[in-house]
Amino acid sequence: MVEIEKMHSGYLQQVNDLGVSTEQLHYVETLQAILANDSDFCHVHVILDNEVVVGLFLIDTSYAKKYDFCGTSSIGLRSFFISTQYQGRGFAKKGMLALMPYLAINYQQYNYIYLTVNCENLAAYHCYLAANFDDTGTTYLGGLSGPQHIMRAQITTTKT
């Protein structure tokens, strides 16, 4: 069963064993850079499959202060990735589907979650669409790797 939990020291060894492929570095930060973002406003989370860490991501509660396309009662999803050795097994989709119920409990003071995805990263784009993110129809041009789709999803407490 795929679950999401906030990163803690008990996961550090498993997280250190995660890998980002060279091709993916075009779209996501290095593991060290992701972990270095952990702060009061940016929270590292792990994606677990039966207590095994298969990926991680950041929830950025200050996203609206950084990006004018993000509403004030919104958060940002950043650096979502599944480790190289676990790709192709559906963990990205399962992780994204587990995200909304997790956010509804742990980030209930926010209404929306935003993300940007590189226009060339079609697999991620379709994964986000399948997880009920909507393409806002606008493009973010400030990314290091080219234009990015701006996507958002409503954080809801209703079960699907």
Side-chain angles (χ1 to χ4, degrees), residues 130-148:
N132 296 318
F133 275 81
D134 295 316
D135 189 329
T136 64
T138 55
T139 307
Y140 175 65
L141 300 176
L144 296 175
S145 300
Q148 299 176 20

Side-chain angles (χ1 to χ4, degrees), residues 36-141:
N37 278 297
D38 195 26
S39 69
D40 290 340
F41 302 104
C42 199
H43 313 139
V44 179
H45 291 80
V46 293
I47 303 164
L48 302 166
D49 177 48
N50 296 313
E51 300 182 25
V52 174
V53 177
V54 298
L56 69 133
F57 61 89
L58 298 168
I59 294 293
D60 188 343
T61 61
S62 64
Y63 206 69
K65 294 177 183 173
K66 299 173 196 168
Y67 302 102
D68 60 1
F69 59 78
C70 184
T72 56
S73 62
S74 300
I75 54 179
L77 175 66
R78 296 179 33 214
S79 299
F80 182 93
F81 86 96
I82 301 298
S83 186
T84 306
Q85 68 266 40
Y86 298 110
Q87 290 181 3
R89 301 186 201 176
F91 290 126
K93 183 177 180 181
K94 291 174 186 175
M96 289 305 301
L97 292 173
L99 180 64
M100 285 309 161
Y102 178 82
L103 294 176
I105 294 168
N106 294 284
Y107 292 88
Q108 58 188 292
Q109 68 271 38
Y110 298 97
N111 295 322
Y112 288 93
I113 182 165
Y114 281 78
L115 63 84
T116 62
V117 59
N118 190 286
C119 292
E120 295 178 1
N121 192 348
L122 296 179
Y125 177 77
H126 289 290
C127 180
Y128 297 136
L129 285 175
N132 296 318
F133 275 81
D134 295 316
D135 189 329
T136 64
T138 55
T139 307
Y140 175 65
L141 300 176

